[in-house]
Amino acid sequence: MSTSAHPSADAADVIGTDGTVTDRLVEANERYASGFTDPGMDARPVLNVAVVACMDARLDLHAALGLQLGDCHTIRNAGGVVTDDVIRSLTISQRALGTRSVMLVHHTGCGLESLTEDFRHELEDEVGQRPAWAVEAFRDVDQDVRQSMQRVRTSPFLLHTDDVRGFVFDVTSGLLREIDPS
């Protein structure tokens, strides 16, 4: 089974022999920019929704949710967990840029299911300093979605907490499964 969107390519083919992957991405941007036309969009998302999702490379959120450029704010981190920084981004999204709905998307086979908070202690042993942040590892993806929904719904900083829904994306079928908040 391939772990890449480029099933026939190995890392050298994707990166190239004359540079780093960042060099390749910068070159891709130059090609993109050469045909770019300013769409004249506002920073306010057209659908007034913010999507919080895991950073997992297997999740193509725009394709999976039928979204176009400008439709939503997308906030991603390891696990799609609602952390203080996610609350910060959601607060700005709602209060300054008009979003009213929040969609949370976790997924099957998440790497956070195989980690524990011991990860922080291992980092401390390795580098001599414990990270200030929590790993936010979990064993039950459905329960973690519920916890994330609760964190959004109870945040005093958010204006709109009535339309907060959580889902688990199945990485093998591409389907979303909605999680009951209770």
Side-chain angles (χ1 to χ4, degrees), residues 3-66:
T3 58
S4 172
H6 308 280
S8 62
D10 64 17
D13 293 333
V14 173
I15 295 170
T17 57
D18 297 332
T20 67
V21 69
T22 303
D23 293 332
R24 184 182 69 83
L25 298 175
V26 170
E27 290 169 10
N29 173 256
E30 289 168 0
R31 288 188 300 277
Y32 170 79
S34 70
F36 183 78
T37 303
D38 179 0
M41 294 178 175
D42 188 280
R44 296 172 180 268
V46 173
L47 299 179
N48 297 324
V49 64
V51 179
V52 179
C54 185
M55 66 185 192
D56 192 293
R58 297 171 289 179
L59 276 69
D60 183 350
L61 285 174
H62 277 76
L65 302 176

Side-chain angles (χ1 to χ4, degrees), residues 88-147:
R88 171 188 158 273
S89 293
L90 288 172
T91 301
I92 293 166
S93 178
Q94 287 189 357
R95 291 181 176 265
L97 297 166
T99 60
R100 300 184 62 84
S101 300
V102 178
M103 181 177 191
L104 305 171
V105 181
H106 286 38
H107 65 92
T108 58
C110 185
L112 283 187
E113 291 175 293
S114 63
L115 289 177
T116 68
E117 290 299 320
D118 288 341
F119 183 76
R120 292 174 70 231
H121 301 292
E122 292 164 5
L123 283 172
E124 181 180 21
D125 290 344
E126 181 181 329
V127 302
Q129 180 179 342
R130 183 181 305 158
W133 40 264
V135 175
E136 296 277 357
F138 54 87
R139 293 178 192 217
D140 181 338
V141 68
D142 290 16
Q143 183 56 35
D144 200 63
V145 171
R146 285 186 197 94
Q147 176 176 288

Side-chain angles (χ1 to χ4, degrees), residues 9 96 104 125 154-155 167:
L104 305 171
D125 290 344
T154 60
S155 173
F167 299 84

